[in-house]
Amino acid sequence: MPNEYRIGTTVRFSVTFKSGAVETDPSPNSSIKFKVKKADGNVTTKTYITDAEVIRDSAGKFRIDLPADLAGTWWYRWEGAGNAYAAEEGSILVKGTTV
């Protein structure tokens, strides 16, 4: 079951890339991408370094905060290449207001 959020909240999407058991940044750093497909079908891609919204917290750990501004199911995907090649996908459910 996806995580649930209400319209108007901020959703944090985070990922940890590893090489073996060691938290490692993918290389090159510009290969780190976050993609989100909102309930209306529009897909947005954000790239580390190019887009300031993608934040590096520490080695291998990245995040992006987005406003929950559209009700429905959102799908997301993190991608990294090079020495920490990986992908992580998931979904969230954004619910409308009850007022």
Side-chain angles (χ1 to χ4, degrees), residues 17-79:
F17 294 102
K18 294 182 178 183
S19 178
V22 179
E23 295 174 355
T24 306
D25 290 349
S27 176
N29 283 335
S30 61
S31 70
I32 301 164
K33 297 189 183 310
F34 174 80
K35 298 178 182 181
V36 63
K37 180 179 180 182
K38 292 185 180 181
D40 62 1
N42 287 323
V43 177
T44 301
T45 301
K46 298 292 184 179
T47 303
Y48 179 60
I49 296 178
T50 304
D51 297 299
E53 298 93 339
V54 181
I55 305 294
R56 179 183 183 269
D57 288 321
S58 62
K61 294 183 181 244
F62 295 83
R63 66 179 160 87
I64 186 169
D65 295 332
L66 297 176
D69 58 2
L70 182 66
T73 301
W74 296 23
W75 295 92
Y76 66 90
R77 177 180 171 93
W78 283 98
E79 299 174 351

Side-chain angles (χ1 to χ4, degrees), residues 79-92:
E79 299 174 351
N83 57 335
Y85 183 85
E88 183 177 302
E89 298 179 334
S91 64
I92 64 167

